[in-house]
Amino acid sequence: MASLVRTAFRKDLFLGKVAIVTGGGTGIGRAITKELAELGCRVVIASRKRETLESAAAEINHTLSKDVGGAALPPLRVFPFQCNIRSEEQVEALMKYAVEKHGRIDYLVNNGGGQFMSPVSEISAKGWHAVIDTNLTGTFYCLKHAYHAWMKDHGGSIVNIIVDMVKGFPGMAHTGAARAGVENLTKSMALEWSPSKIRINCIAPGVIYSETAAANYPDPETFNRSLHIIPARRLGCPEEVSGAVCFLLSPAAAYITGCTIPVDGGQGIYRSPWVIQDHEGFPVELHSEVALPPKGEATEPGPSEFLFKALAELYKSKL
Ligand SMILES: CCCCCCCCC/C=C/C(=O)SCCNC(=O)CCNC(=O)[C@H](O)C(C)(C)COP(=O)(O)OP(=O)(O)OC[C@H]1O[C@@H](n2cnc3c(N)ncnc32)[C@H](O)[C@@H]1OP(=O)(O)O
Ligand SMILES: NC(=O)C1=CN([C@@H]2O[C@H](COP(=O)(O)OP(=O)(O)OC[C@H]3O[C@@H](n4cnc5c(N)ncnc54)[C@H](OP(=O)(O)O)[C@@H]3O)[C@@H](O)[C@H]2O)C=CC1
């Protein structure tokens, strides 16, 4: 049976390599795991839910190519390991397992994470810590222990999955803060660890649909409602994040470190999903020589309509 895994890369790209993918049993992490394994890599998938990991590993192993260019590949290339990245002890055990059972850690993909929607004013201390501990501290534990267990002496390549938070992340500010922390940590690690030949980069996905991701939001239409902020005018697929991860891990990215690649259909350079409720406007607190014109109604969405009208007037006046 031909493999069910599609990839744009050479089939033996990661032959003989070992990767760890946190959150590798679902959504984006599952797509990354499938592609790495299809390209010959052995992949340890790590997260909290043992059953999810075990069934994902079995399903993926079943779909992979059995050989490359006529040479047989190991039939089992995905291995589950239960680990809560919020526990430093469990992360240390994960890295130990990878080195002892699989011999090396060439790649680390810090993908496990998540959050819930809430205005900042309503986030409890427990909820705040849950999100920071998962996304920022969990990533720190994985980085630190992959370094000590293997990469310090042998090099490696790391990809951290963050989010599109270039315009802040109102509505999910805790995760925006955590991921901005990861992005900055990435730059520090790129510099501190360059003598060890470790490359480390981030990918910032936009709105990527998967059933497990959507299940985290109370309204199933949450993702579709984001279409107006996406220039590509569709949601992203997990496989589109995976392709970028494989590129960053591969020798083709040998001169890339400390950077972030958005995989977001143009969302990052476009508008924020957040709607500012109209209000009377900030008070002018300085004495000004100008009197501002009376404030009109600021309706959203639609600033581009106003801009187009102004440009049309300008164009007409030049004819
Ligand atoms: C706007 C842009 C549009 C744009 C819309 C599109 C968005 C796309 C951008 C990003 C998309 C994605 O990331 S999609 C991927 C989503 N996947 C995930 O989030 C999976 C992983 N997530 C989680 O496990 C959880 O969300 C996370 C909070 C991180 C950890 O949960 P745990 O149950 O393990 O944590 P605990 O330690 O038990 O603490 C839970 C506490 O967190 C708080 N908490 C948890 N869920 C809560 C909730 N729904 N509402 C309030 N508070 C909550 C409470 O205080 C809980 O305490 P108690 O009150 O005592 O219970
Ligand atoms: N989908 C999207 O639009 C976007 C997603 N992202 C990020 O991409 C990553 C993958 O998300 P996605 O695939 O969409 O959603 P999923 O909910 O499918 O994936 C989240 C994964 O993280 C794992 N995870 C969560 N908490 C922990 C923990 N404490 N320890 C170990 N593993 C954990 C989960 O496994 P388990 O429950 O078994 O622990 C799960 O496999 C996340 O970091 C997410 O925030 C970023 C931007 C956009």
Side-chain angles (χ1 to χ4, degrees), residues 23-29 46-49 52 83-86 111-115 134-135 161-163 179 205-208 210 212-213 216 223:
T26 69
I28 294 171
S47 74
R48 297 165 297 180
K49 296 182 191 123
T52 306
C83 172
N84 184 341
I85 57 171
R86 282 154 73 173
N111 160 83
Q115 63 284 312
T134 303
N135 297 290
I161 305 294
I162 53 172
V163 298
R179 312 303 179 118
V207 186
I208 309 295
S210 71
T212 46
N216 275 283
F223 279 47

PDB file of all heavy atoms in Angstrom, residues 23-29 46-49 52 83-86 111-115 134-135 161-163 179 205-208 210 212-213 216 223, ligand 2:
ATOM      1  N   GLY A  23       3.191  17.288  22.221  1.00  0.00           N
ATOM      2  CA  GLY A  23       1.848  17.409  21.639  1.00  0.00           C
ATOM      3  C   GLY A  23       1.768  16.727  20.281  1.00  0.00           C
ATOM      4  O   GLY A  23       0.953  17.104  19.438  1.00  0.00           O
ATOM      5  N   GLY A  24       2.596  15.718  20.066  1.00  0.00           N
ATOM      6  CA  GLY A  24       2.699  15.086  18.746  1.00  0.00           C
ATOM      7  C   GLY A  24       1.558  14.144  18.388  1.00  0.00           C
ATOM      8  O   GLY A  24       1.544  13.597  17.292  1.00  0.00           O
ATOM      9  N   GLY A  25       0.607  13.956  19.303  1.00  0.00           N
ATOM     10  CA  GLY A  25      -0.483  13.020  19.018  1.00  0.00           C
ATOM     11  C   GLY A  25      -1.709  13.657  18.381  1.00  0.00           C
ATOM     12  O   GLY A  25      -2.593  12.937  17.903  1.00  0.00           O
ATOM     13  N   THR A  26      -1.782  14.987  18.370  1.00  0.00           N
ATOM     14  CA  THR A  26      -2.996  15.648  17.847  1.00  0.00           C
ATOM     15  C   THR A  26      -2.633  16.849  16.970  1.00  0.00           C
ATOM     16  O   THR A  26      -1.529  17.394  17.055  1.00  0.00           O
ATOM     17  CB  THR A  26      -3.901  16.167  19.004  1.00  0.00           C
ATOM     18  OG1 THR A  26      -3.226  17.259  19.660  1.00  0.00           O
ATOM     19  CG2 THR A  26      -4.224  15.078  20.020  1.00  0.00           C
ATOM     20  N   GLY A  27      -3.587  17.245  16.144  1.00  0.00           N
ATOM     21  CA  GLY A  27      -3.524  18.514  15.403  1.00  0.00           C
ATOM     22  C   GLY A  27      -2.227  18.776  14.665  1.00  0.00           C
ATOM     23  O   GLY A  27      -1.752  17.943  13.880  1.00  0.00           O
ATOM     24  N   ILE A  28      -1.644  19.923  14.940  1.00  0.00           N
ATOM     25  CA  ILE A  28      -0.413  20.335  14.254  1.00  0.00           C
ATOM     26  C   ILE A  28       0.737  19.367  14.573  1.00  0.00           C
ATOM     27  O   ILE A  28       1.499  18.964  13.687  1.00  0.00           O
ATOM     28  CB  ILE A  28      -0.037  21.782  14.679  1.00  0.00           C
ATOM     29  CG1 ILE A  28      -1.098  22.777  14.177  1.00  0.00           C
ATOM     30  CG2 ILE A  28       1.346  22.154  14.170  1.00  0.00           C
ATOM     31  CD1 ILE A  28      -0.930  24.198  14.735  1.00  0.00           C
ATOM     32  N   GLY A  29       0.837  18.976  15.833  1.00  0.00           N
ATOM     33  CA  GLY A  29       1.920  18.079  16.253  1.00  0.00           C
ATOM     34  C   GLY A  29       1.837  16.736  15.556  1.00  0.00           C
ATOM     35  O   GLY A  29       2.856  16.135  15.196  1.00  0.00           O
ATOM     36  N   ALA A  46       5.249  13.247  22.794  1.00  0.00           N
ATOM     37  CA  ALA A  46       5.128  13.381  24.246  1.00  0.00           C
ATOM     38  C   ALA A  46       4.009  14.342  24.616  1.00  0.00           C
ATOM     39  O   ALA A  46       3.971  15.466  24.107  1.00  0.00           O
ATOM     40  CB  ALA A  46       6.451  13.906  24.807  1.00  0.00           C
ATOM     41  N   SER A  47       3.086  13.867  25.459  1.00  0.00           N
ATOM     42  CA  SER A  47       2.063  14.762  26.013  1.00  0.00           C
ATOM     43  C   SER A  47       1.409  14.081  27.209  1.00  0.00           C
ATOM     44  O   SER A  47       1.889  13.022  27.653  1.00  0.00           O
ATOM     45  CB  SER A  47       1.040  15.157  24.947  1.00  0.00           C
ATOM     46  OG  SER A  47       0.173  14.083  24.659  1.00  0.00           O
ATOM     47  N   ARG A  48       0.325  14.686  27.724  1.00  0.00           N
ATOM     48  CA  ARG A  48      -0.260  14.192  28.979  1.00  0.00           C
ATOM     49  C   ARG A  48      -1.084  12.933  28.803  1.00  0.00           C
ATOM     50  O   ARG A  48      -1.128  12.089  29.680  1.00  0.00           O
ATOM     51  CB  ARG A  48      -1.151  15.282  29.595  1.00  0.00           C
ATOM     52  CG  ARG A  48      -0.404  16.536  29.985  1.00  0.00           C
ATOM     53  CD  ARG A  48      -1.347  17.688  30.241  1.00  0.00           C
ATOM     54  NE  ARG A  48      -2.094  18.058  29.047  1.00  0.00           N
ATOM     55  CZ  ARG A  48      -2.994  19.032  28.991  1.00  0.00           C
ATOM     56  NH1 ARG A  48      -3.268  19.739  30.071  1.00  0.00           N
ATOM     57  NH2 ARG A  48      -3.627  19.296  27.869  1.00  0.00           N
ATOM     58  N   LYS A  49      -1.797  12.801  27.671  1.00  0.00           N
ATOM     59  CA  LYS A  49      -2.793  11.723  27.539  1.00  0.00           C
ATOM     60  C   LYS A  49      -2.198  10.489  26.858  1.00  0.00           C
ATOM     61  O   LYS A  49      -2.016  10.462  25.637  1.00  0.00           O
ATOM     62  CB  LYS A  49      -3.996  12.228  26.739  1.00  0.00           C
ATOM     63  CG  LYS A  49      -4.720  13.345  27.461  1.00  0.00           C
ATOM     64  CD  LYS A  49      -5.945  13.811  26.694  1.00  0.00           C
ATOM     65  CE  LYS A  49      -6.482  15.093  27.310  1.00  0.00           C
ATOM     66  NZ  LYS A  49      -6.561  16.209  26.381  1.00  0.00           N
ATOM     67  N   THR A  52      -4.228   8.842  23.885  1.00  0.00           N
ATOM     68  CA  THR A  52      -4.149   9.627  22.640  1.00  0.00           C
ATOM     69  C   THR A  52      -2.815   9.360  21.946  1.00  0.00           C
ATOM     70  O   THR A  52      -2.754   9.150  20.734  1.00  0.00           O
ATOM     71  CB  THR A  52      -4.276  11.141  22.958  1.00  0.00           C
ATOM     72  OG1 THR A  52      -5.458  11.340  23.697  1.00  0.00           O
ATOM     73  CG2 THR A  52      -4.287  11.984  21.701  1.00  0.00           C
ATOM     74  N   CYS A  83       4.121  12.564  29.134  1.00  0.00           N
ATOM     75  CA  CYS A  83       4.908  13.618  29.788  1.00  0.00           C
ATOM     76  C   CYS A  83       4.106  14.910  29.866  1.00  0.00           C
ATOM     77  O   CYS A  83       3.594  15.391  28.854  1.00  0.00           O
ATOM     78  CB  CYS A  83       6.194  13.860  28.974  1.00  0.00           C
ATOM     79  SG  CYS A  83       7.159  15.278  29.504  1.00  0.00           S
ATOM     80  N   ASN A  84       4.007  15.439  31.067  1.00  0.00           N
ATOM     81  CA  ASN A  84       3.418  16.769  31.228  1.00  0.00           C
ATOM     82  C   ASN A  84       4.576  17.767  31.224  1.00  0.00           C
ATOM     83  O   ASN A  84       5.422  17.740  32.127  1.00  0.00           O
ATOM     84  CB  ASN A  84       2.645  16.835  32.551  1.00  0.00           C
ATOM     85  CG  ASN A  84       1.935  18.167  32.714  1.00  0.00           C
ATOM     86  OD1 ASN A  84       2.266  19.160  32.056  1.00  0.00           O
ATOM     87  ND2 ASN A  84       0.950  18.208  33.593  1.00  0.00           N
ATOM     88  N   ILE A  85       4.625  18.617  30.221  1.00  0.00           N
ATOM     89  CA  ILE A  85       5.788  19.512  30.113  1.00  0.00           C
ATOM     90  C   ILE A  85       5.830  20.545  31.250  1.00  0.00           C
ATOM     91  O   ILE A  85       6.824  21.248  31.404  1.00  0.00           O
ATOM     92  CB  ILE A  85       5.867  20.228  28.733  1.00  0.00           C
ATOM     93  CG1 ILE A  85       4.588  21.023  28.432  1.00  0.00           C
ATOM     94  CG2 ILE A  85       6.187  19.224  27.623  1.00  0.00           C
ATOM     95  CD1 ILE A  85       4.708  21.912  27.190  1.00  0.00           C
ATOM     96  N   ARG A  86       4.770  20.604  32.043  1.00  0.00           N
ATOM     97  CA  ARG A  86       4.804  21.500  33.209  1.00  0.00           C
ATOM     98  C   ARG A  86       5.627  20.909  34.356  1.00  0.00           C
ATOM     99  O   ARG A  86       5.877  21.591  35.351  1.00  0.00           O
ATOM    100  CB  ARG A  86       3.376  21.803  33.671  1.00  0.00           C
ATOM    101  CG  ARG A  86       2.723  22.828  32.775  1.00  0.00           C
ATOM    102  CD  ARG A  86       1.226  22.719  32.771  1.00  0.00           C
ATOM    103  NE  ARG A  86       0.608  23.184  33.995  1.00  0.00           N
ATOM    104  CZ  ARG A  86      -0.713  23.309  34.145  1.00  0.00           C
ATOM    105  NH1 ARG A  86      -1.521  23.019  33.147  1.00  0.00           N
ATOM    106  NH2 ARG A  86      -1.203  23.740  35.260  1.00  0.00           N
ATOM    107  N   ASN A 111       5.863  21.936  20.517  1.00  0.00           N
ATOM    108  CA  ASN A 111       4.550  22.234  19.940  1.00  0.00           C
ATOM    109  C   ASN A 111       3.444  22.150  20.986  1.00  0.00           C
ATOM    110  O   ASN A 111       2.420  22.834  20.867  1.00  0.00           O
ATOM    111  CB  ASN A 111       4.302  21.229  18.798  1.00  0.00           C
ATOM    112  CG  ASN A 111       2.848  21.100  18.433  1.00  0.00           C
ATOM    113  OD1 ASN A 111       2.323  21.895  17.668  1.00  0.00           O
ATOM    114  ND2 ASN A 111       2.155  20.098  18.987  1.00  0.00           N
ATOM    115  N   GLY A 112       3.639  21.354  22.015  1.00  0.00           N
ATOM    116  CA  GLY A 112       2.585  21.164  23.030  1.00  0.00           C
ATOM    117  C   GLY A 112       2.262  22.485  23.697  1.00  0.00           C
ATOM    118  O   GLY A 112       3.160  23.229  24.075  1.00  0.00           O
ATOM    119  N   GLY A 113       0.976  22.770  23.849  1.00  0.00           N
ATOM    120  CA  GLY A 113       0.593  24.016  24.504  1.00  0.00           C
ATOM    121  C   GLY A 113      -0.855  24.345  24.254  1.00  0.00           C
ATOM    122  O   GLY A 113      -1.590  23.545  23.671  1.00  0.00           O
ATOM    123  N   GLY A 114      -1.247  25.501  24.707  1.00  0.00           N
ATOM    124  CA  GLY A 114      -2.623  25.936  24.500  1.00  0.00           C
ATOM    125  C   GLY A 114      -3.043  26.966  25.525  1.00  0.00           C
ATOM    126  O   GLY A 114      -2.232  27.428  26.331  1.00  0.00           O
ATOM    127  N   GLN A 115      -4.312  27.299  25.504  1.00  0.00           N
ATOM    128  CA  GLN A 115      -4.849  28.371  26.332  1.00  0.00           C
ATOM    129  C   GLN A 115      -6.369  28.372  26.241  1.00  0.00           C
ATOM    130  O   GLN A 115      -6.950  27.543  25.578  1.00  0.00           O
ATOM    131  CB  GLN A 115      -4.323  29.722  25.840  1.00  0.00           C
ATOM    132  CG  GLN A 115      -4.749  30.078  24.408  1.00  0.00           C
ATOM    133  CD  GLN A 115      -3.991  29.341  23.336  1.00  0.00           C
ATOM    134  OE1 GLN A 115      -2.779  29.286  23.377  1.00  0.00           O
ATOM    135  NE2 GLN A 115      -4.692  28.739  22.389  1.00  0.00           N
ATOM    136  N   THR A 134       2.548  26.133  31.083  1.00  0.00           N
ATOM    137  CA  THR A 134       2.531  25.221  29.940  1.00  0.00           C
ATOM    138  C   THR A 134       3.391  25.768  28.806  1.00  0.00           C
ATOM    139  O   THR A 134       4.310  25.102  28.319  1.00  0.00           O
ATOM    140  CB  THR A 134       1.079  25.033  29.431  1.00  0.00           C
ATOM    141  OG1 THR A 134       0.267  24.562  30.508  1.00  0.00           O
ATOM    142  CG2 THR A 134       1.027  24.044  28.272  1.00  0.00           C
ATOM    143  N   ASN A 135       3.102  26.981  28.397  1.00  0.00           N
ATOM    144  CA  ASN A 135       3.687  27.469  27.139  1.00  0.00           C
ATOM    145  C   ASN A 135       5.093  28.056  27.290  1.00  0.00           C
ATOM    146  O   ASN A 135       5.922  27.867  26.403  1.00  0.00           O
ATOM    147  CB  ASN A 135       2.753  28.511  26.519  1.00  0.00           C
ATOM    148  CG  ASN A 135       1.413  27.892  26.146  1.00  0.00           C
ATOM    149  OD1 ASN A 135       1.333  27.100  25.216  1.00  0.00           O
ATOM    150  ND2 ASN A 135       0.372  28.229  26.883  1.00  0.00           N
ATOM    151  N   ILE A 161       6.874  26.240  18.421  1.00  0.00           N
ATOM    152  CA  ILE A 161       5.622  26.716  17.827  1.00  0.00           C
ATOM    153  C   ILE A 161       5.050  27.788  18.755  1.00  0.00           C
ATOM    154  O   ILE A 161       4.782  27.520  19.934  1.00  0.00           O
ATOM    155  CB  ILE A 161       4.599  25.557  17.681  1.00  0.00           C
ATOM    156  CG1 ILE A 161       5.188  24.380  16.887  1.00  0.00           C
ATOM    157  CG2 ILE A 161       3.310  26.064  17.043  1.00  0.00           C
ATOM    158  CD1 ILE A 161       5.509  24.638  15.440  1.00  0.00           C
ATOM    159  N   ILE A 162       4.880  28.980  18.219  1.00  0.00           N
ATOM    160  CA  ILE A 162       4.299  30.054  19.045  1.00  0.00           C
ATOM    161  C   ILE A 162       2.935  30.431  18.446  1.00  0.00           C
ATOM    162  O   ILE A 162       2.216  29.547  17.977  1.00  0.00           O
ATOM    163  CB  ILE A 162       5.280  31.241  19.219  1.00  0.00           C
ATOM    164  CG1 ILE A 162       5.796  31.775  17.884  1.00  0.00           C
ATOM    165  CG2 ILE A 162       6.455  30.797  20.076  1.00  0.00           C
ATOM    166  CD1 ILE A 162       6.604  33.072  18.001  1.00  0.00           C
ATOM    167  N   VAL A 163       2.533  31.689  18.491  1.00  0.00           N
ATOM    168  CA  VAL A 163       1.285  32.111  17.827  1.00  0.00           C
ATOM    169  C   VAL A 163       1.550  33.446  17.135  1.00  0.00           C
ATOM    170  O   VAL A 163       2.565  34.093  17.391  1.00  0.00           O
ATOM    171  CB  VAL A 163       0.100  32.304  18.807  1.00  0.00           C
ATOM    172  CG1 VAL A 163      -0.277  31.018  19.512  1.00  0.00           C
ATOM    173  CG2 VAL A 163       0.398  33.399  19.816  1.00  0.00           C
ATOM    174  N   ARG A 179       4.038  33.342  24.679  1.00  0.00           N
ATOM    175  CA  ARG A 179       4.693  33.043  23.399  1.00  0.00           C
ATOM    176  C   ARG A 179       5.694  34.133  23.030  1.00  0.00           C
ATOM    177  O   ARG A 179       6.704  33.857  22.380  1.00  0.00           O
ATOM    178  CB  ARG A 179       3.686  32.878  22.278  1.00  0.00           C
ATOM    179  CG  ARG A 179       2.503  31.983  22.553  1.00  0.00           C
ATOM    180  CD  ARG A 179       2.878  30.565  22.949  1.00  0.00           C
ATOM    181  NE  ARG A 179       1.655  29.828  23.194  1.00  0.00           N
ATOM    182  CZ  ARG A 179       1.261  28.758  22.510  1.00  0.00           C
ATOM    183  NH1 ARG A 179       2.023  28.257  21.583  1.00  0.00           N
ATOM    184  NH2 ARG A 179       0.121  28.167  22.807  1.00  0.00           N
ATOM    185  N   PRO A 205       2.075  30.120  13.815  1.00  0.00           N
ATOM    186  CA  PRO A 205       0.894  29.808  12.994  1.00  0.00           C
ATOM    187  C   PRO A 205      -0.196  30.860  13.194  1.00  0.00           C
ATOM    188  O   PRO A 205      -0.315  31.463  14.263  1.00  0.00           O
ATOM    189  CB  PRO A 205       0.419  28.453  13.538  1.00  0.00           C
ATOM    190  CG  PRO A 205       1.515  27.953  14.434  1.00  0.00           C
ATOM    191  CD  PRO A 205       2.242  29.163  14.915  1.00  0.00           C
ATOM    192  N   GLY A 206      -0.989  31.030  12.139  1.00  0.00           N
ATOM    193  CA  GLY A 206      -2.170  31.900  12.250  1.00  0.00           C
ATOM    194  C   GLY A 206      -3.334  31.092  12.789  1.00  0.00           C
ATOM    195  O   GLY A 206      -3.286  30.632  13.926  1.00  0.00           O
ATOM    196  N   VAL A 207      -4.369  30.895  11.993  1.00  0.00           N
ATOM    197  CA  VAL A 207      -5.534  30.119  12.452  1.00  0.00           C
ATOM    198  C   VAL A 207      -5.532  28.792  11.692  1.00  0.00           C
ATOM    199  O   VAL A 207      -5.835  28.741  10.500  1.00  0.00           O
ATOM    200  CB  VAL A 207      -6.847  30.893  12.229  1.00  0.00           C
ATOM    201  CG1 VAL A 207      -8.014  30.123  12.838  1.00  0.00           C
ATOM    202  CG2 VAL A 207      -6.754  32.292  12.847  1.00  0.00           C
ATOM    203  N   ILE A 208      -5.155  27.747  12.402  1.00  0.00           N
ATOM    204  CA  ILE A 208      -4.950  26.423  11.789  1.00  0.00           C
ATOM    205  C   ILE A 208      -6.045  25.493  12.310  1.00  0.00           C
ATOM    206  O   ILE A 208      -6.124  25.234  13.517  1.00  0.00           O
ATOM    207  CB  ILE A 208      -3.561  25.854  12.176  1.00  0.00           C
ATOM    208  CG1 ILE A 208      -2.439  26.884  11.914  1.00  0.00           C
ATOM    209  CG2 ILE A 208      -3.307  24.531  11.468  1.00  0.00           C
ATOM    210  CD1 ILE A 208      -2.212  27.266  10.477  1.00  0.00           C
ATOM    211  N   SER A 210      -8.017  22.183  13.250  1.00  0.00           N
ATOM    212  CA  SER A 210      -8.031  20.732  13.480  1.00  0.00           C
ATOM    213  C   SER A 210      -9.153  20.497  14.483  1.00  0.00           C
ATOM    214  O   SER A 210      -9.533  21.421  15.217  1.00  0.00           O
ATOM    215  CB  SER A 210      -6.699  20.210  14.038  1.00  0.00           C
ATOM    216  OG  SER A 210      -6.532  20.643  15.368  1.00  0.00           O
ATOM    217  N   THR A 212      -9.196  18.815  17.252  1.00  0.00           N
ATOM    218  CA  THR A 212      -8.795  18.965  18.656  1.00  0.00           C
ATOM    219  C   THR A 212      -8.587  20.431  19.022  1.00  0.00           C
ATOM    220  O   THR A 212      -8.938  20.847  20.125  1.00  0.00           O
ATOM    221  CB  THR A 212      -7.500  18.176  18.951  1.00  0.00           C
ATOM    222  OG1 THR A 212      -6.565  18.431  17.912  1.00  0.00           O
ATOM    223  CG2 THR A 212      -7.766  16.711  19.080  1.00  0.00           C
ATOM    224  N   ALA A 213      -8.049  21.206  18.096  1.00  0.00           N
ATOM    225  CA  ALA A 213      -7.858  22.637  18.391  1.00  0.00           C
ATOM    226  C   ALA A 213      -9.220  23.297  18.552  1.00  0.00           C
ATOM    227  O   ALA A 213      -9.452  24.031  19.530  1.00  0.00           O
ATOM    228  CB  ALA A 213      -7.067  23.301  17.270  1.00  0.00           C
ATOM    229  N   ASN A 216     -11.306  23.088  21.802  1.00  0.00           N
ATOM    230  CA  ASN A 216     -10.928  23.893  22.970  1.00  0.00           C
ATOM    231  C   ASN A 216     -11.699  25.201  23.086  1.00  0.00           C
ATOM    232  O   ASN A 216     -11.497  25.944  24.038  1.00  0.00           O
ATOM    233  CB  ASN A 216      -9.438  24.218  22.918  1.00  0.00           C
ATOM    234  CG  ASN A 216      -8.627  23.102  23.508  1.00  0.00           C
ATOM    235  OD1 ASN A 216      -8.560  22.966  24.720  1.00  0.00           O
ATOM    236  ND2 ASN A 216      -8.062  22.278  22.654  1.00  0.00           N
ATOM    237  N   PHE A 223     -13.211  29.376  14.673  1.00  0.00           N
ATOM    238  CA  PHE A 223     -12.153  29.435  13.674  1.00  0.00           C
ATOM    239  C   PHE A 223     -12.660  30.093  12.389  1.00  0.00           C
ATOM    240  O   PHE A 223     -12.022  30.990  11.847  1.00  0.00           O
ATOM    241  CB  PHE A 223     -11.594  28.033  13.397  1.00  0.00           C
ATOM    242  CG  PHE A 223     -10.588  27.597  14.440  1.00  0.00           C
ATOM    243  CD1 PHE A 223     -10.854  27.738  15.793  1.00  0.00           C
ATOM    244  CD2 PHE A 223      -9.372  27.051  14.077  1.00  0.00           C
ATOM    245  CE1 PHE A 223      -9.934  27.361  16.764  1.00  0.00           C
ATOM    246  CE2 PHE A 223      -8.433  26.659  15.029  1.00  0.00           C
ATOM    247  CZ  PHE A 223      -8.728  26.813  16.378  1.00  0.00           C
TER     248      PHE A 223
HETATM  249  N1  LIG B   2      -4.536  25.696  15.843  1.00  0.00           N
HETATM  250  C1  LIG B   2      -4.172  26.962  15.763  1.00  0.00           C
HETATM  251  O1  LIG B   2      -4.832  27.793  15.119  1.00  0.00           O
HETATM  252  C2  LIG B   2      -2.933  27.422  16.430  1.00  0.00           C
HETATM  253  C3  LIG B   2      -2.228  26.633  17.306  1.00  0.00           C
HETATM  254  N2  LIG B   2      -1.102  27.112  17.917  1.00  0.00           N
HETATM  255  C4  LIG B   2      -0.336  26.298  18.824  1.00  0.00           C
HETATM  256  O2  LIG B   2       0.101  25.124  18.164  1.00  0.00           O
HETATM  257  C5  LIG B   2       0.262  24.075  19.134  1.00  0.00           C
HETATM  258  C6  LIG B   2      -0.540  22.870  18.697  1.00  0.00           C
HETATM  259  O3  LIG B   2      -1.924  23.197  18.721  1.00  0.00           O
HETATM  260  P1  LIG B   2      -3.046  22.436  17.889  1.00  0.00           P
HETATM  261  O4  LIG B   2      -2.475  21.258  17.249  1.00  0.00           O
HETATM  262  O5  LIG B   2      -3.747  23.407  17.096  1.00  0.00           O
HETATM  263  O6  LIG B   2      -4.050  22.029  19.070  1.00  0.00           O
HETATM  264  P2  LIG B   2      -4.192  20.695  19.924  1.00  0.00           P
HETATM  265  O7  LIG B   2      -5.104  21.017  21.038  1.00  0.00           O
HETATM  266  O8  LIG B   2      -4.526  19.562  19.021  1.00  0.00           O
HETATM  267  O9  LIG B   2      -2.728  20.438  20.460  1.00  0.00           O
HETATM  268  C7  LIG B   2      -2.235  20.785  21.705  1.00  0.00           C
HETATM  269  C8  LIG B   2      -1.284  19.676  22.130  1.00  0.00           C
HETATM  270  O10 LIG B   2      -0.535  20.080  23.246  1.00  0.00           O
HETATM  271  C9  LIG B   2      -0.472  19.010  24.165  1.00  0.00           C
HETATM  272  N3  LIG B   2      -0.313  19.574  25.500  1.00  0.00           N
HETATM  273  C10 LIG B   2      -1.079  20.527  26.083  1.00  0.00           C
HETATM  274  N4  LIG B   2      -0.661  20.758  27.333  1.00  0.00           N
HETATM  275  C11 LIG B   2       0.406  19.945  27.532  1.00  0.00           C
HETATM  276  C12 LIG B   2       1.259  19.697  28.637  1.00  0.00           C
HETATM  277  N5  LIG B   2       1.102  20.344  29.794  1.00  0.00           N
HETATM  278  N6  LIG B   2       2.243  18.782  28.494  1.00  0.00           N
HETATM  279  C13 LIG B   2       2.415  18.108  27.329  1.00  0.00           C
HETATM  280  N7  LIG B   2       1.642  18.291  26.260  1.00  0.00           N
HETATM  281  C14 LIG B   2       0.638  19.192  26.367  1.00  0.00           C
HETATM  282  C15 LIG B   2      -1.806  18.283  23.984  1.00  0.00           C
HETATM  283  O11 LIG B   2      -1.736  16.903  24.351  1.00  0.00           O
HETATM  284  P3  LIG B   2      -2.325  16.337  25.735  1.00  0.00           P
HETATM  285  O12 LIG B   2      -3.691  16.889  25.908  1.00  0.00           O
HETATM  286  O13 LIG B   2      -2.246  14.842  25.553  1.00  0.00           O
HETATM  287  O14 LIG B   2      -1.369  16.808  26.796  1.00  0.00           O
HETATM  288  C16 LIG B   2      -2.028  18.406  22.500  1.00  0.00           C
HETATM  289  O15 LIG B   2      -1.477  17.312  21.814  1.00  0.00           O
HETATM  290  C17 LIG B   2      -0.196  24.654  20.465  1.00  0.00           C
HETATM  291  O16 LIG B   2       0.913  25.161  21.171  1.00  0.00           O
HETATM  292  C18 LIG B   2      -1.110  25.780  20.021  1.00  0.00           C
HETATM  293  O17 LIG B   2      -1.341  26.722  21.006  1.00  0.00           O
HETATM  294  C19 LIG B   2      -0.627  28.374  17.641  1.00  0.00           C
HETATM  295  C20 LIG B   2      -1.290  29.185  16.795  1.00  0.00           C
HETATM  296  C21 LIG B   2      -2.494  28.781  16.135  1.00  0.00           C
END
